Amino acid sequence: MCPECGSLEVTIEEYDFGTCPLTGYHDAGERFRCRACGATGDVDDLVPVETTPIRSPLGPRNGRAAAGGWMARFC
C-alpha cells in the first residue's frame, strides 16, 4: 500500500544501474510507483496490507468446535 495516499494501485519495478564508479557497489534493487498519487520510493517504504483470514462456513479444519468440543466433519 502506498505510504503517501494508502492506495493499492502500486507497481513495483526493478532497476539495475550497474556498479557505481565512486563507491564500487552494485546499485540495483526494486522501487515502487503509485498510480493514484504518483509517489515513488524504495519497496521497503511500502505499507503492509493487513488481511483478514477467511473463515470456512464448515467450521475449523481440525474438527474442534469453537467452544473446545468436537463436531462431525464430513469430507
Side-chain angles (χ1 to χ4, degrees), residues 1-22:
M1 181 168 35
C2 177
E4 297 294 323
C5 70
S7 173
L8 295 176
E9 297 293 321
V10 176
T11 57
I12 297 174
E13 303 165 351
E14 293 184 11
Y15 68 92
D16 187 348
F17 296 132
T19 304
C20 176
L22 298 175

Side-chain angles (χ1 to χ4, degrees), residues 2-75:
C2 177
E4 297 294 323
C5 70
S7 173
L8 295 176
E9 297 293 321
V10 176
T11 57
I12 297 174
E13 303 165 351
E14 293 184 11
Y15 68 92
D16 187 348
F17 296 132
T19 304
C20 176
L22 298 175
T23 64
Y25 289 107
H26 188 189
D27 188 10
E30 295 178 318
R31 298 199 40 95
F32 78 89
R33 177 179 305 276
C34 178
R35 288 182 272 157
C37 71
T40 61
D42 195 58
V43 170
D44 293 336
D45 296 335
L46 290 173
V47 177
V49 177
E50 293 187 27
T51 58
T52 304
I54 299 172
R55 296 181 187 223
S56 171
L58 302 176
R61 294 188 60 96
N62 63 5
R64 294 180 188 259
W70 291 91
M71 63 181 212
R73 192 169 146 198
F74 301 97
C75 298

